[in-house]
């Protein structure tokens, strides 16, 4: 009887150890093999003006990292706590740079960012503020 219990206990211990090895090895392999594309990609942004009159144009420039040449970019602004896209669009150019031109009409402080929502996932620049008078 003691032999049967010992054998059963060793089998249970072995199965538990094997499960831990398989689970930890599988998780580590999955994490190492497929990093999130948006974690590697980034966008910088700069506005040529930080204060404009309503209706004036502002040029946004910057560089991207981890986005393919030709990837679409769009200017977004925050309105009532939600980000919405504006009509200013562009694409990543050779050298990973971009330029977008936007006409800002809404008076007050505009909180803006450049967004890329495509095959590389969702990537956003830091938020910029432009005062519109």
């Amino acid at each position: 009887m003691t032999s049967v219990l010992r054998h059963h206990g060793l089998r249970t211990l072995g199965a538990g150890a094997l499960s831990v090895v398989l689970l930890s090895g599988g998780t580590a392999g999955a994490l190492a093999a497929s990093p999130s594309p948006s974690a590697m990609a980034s966008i910088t942004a700069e506005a040529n003006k930080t204060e404009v009159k309503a209706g004036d144009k502002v040029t946004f420039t910057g560089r991207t990292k981890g986005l393919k040449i030709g990837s679409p970019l769009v200017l977004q602004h925050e309105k009532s706590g939600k980000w919405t896209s504006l009509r200013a669009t562009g694409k990543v150019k050779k050298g990973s740079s971009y330029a977008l031109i936007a006409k800002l009409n809404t008076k007050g402080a505009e909180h803006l960012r450049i967004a890329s929502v495509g095959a590389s996932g969702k990537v956003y620049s830091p938020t910029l503020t432009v005062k519109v008078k």
Side-chain angles (χ1 to χ4, degrees):
M1 180 76 169
T2 308
S3 164
V4 172
L5 290 176
R6 184 181 305 160
H7 181 67
H8 181 62
L10 289 174
R11 189 178 345 162
T12 302
L13 181 63
L18 182 60
S19 296
V20 169
V21 168
L22 289 174
L23 286 174
S24 65
T27 303
L31 291 175
S34 59
S36 170
S38 60
M40 296 178 356
S42 64
I43 302 173
T44 65
E46 188 176 304
N48 70 332
K49 300 174 188 173
T50 57
E51 205 170 292
V52 296
K53 291 181 182 177
D56 283 355
K57 292 181 181 179
V58 179
T59 301
F60 298 89
T61 58
R63 294 198 167 278
T64 65
K65 181 180 174 186
L67 298 176
K68 293 181 180 181
I69 294 172
S71 294
L73 300 170
V74 65
L75 180 67
Q76 294 182 332
H77 76 135
E78 187 178 24
K79 185 176 181 181
S80 302
K82 291 186 178 185
W83 288 95
T84 56
S85 296
L86 299 174
R87 292 185 180 186
T89 61
K91 293 186 178 189
V92 177
K93 298 186 281 187
K94 186 177 181 182
S96 299
S97 65
Y98 71 88
L100 301 175
I101 299 173
K103 188 184 283 189
L104 301 177
N105 295 316
T106 306
K107 291 185 179 182
E110 281 276 12
H111 300 285
L112 304 152
R113 70 181 182 187
I114 307 298
S116 172
V117 183
S120 298
K122 296 178 182 180
V123 184
Y124 306 104
S125 73
T127 303
L128 301 170
T129 302
V130 176
K131 289 184 182 181
V132 182
K133 297 180 188 179

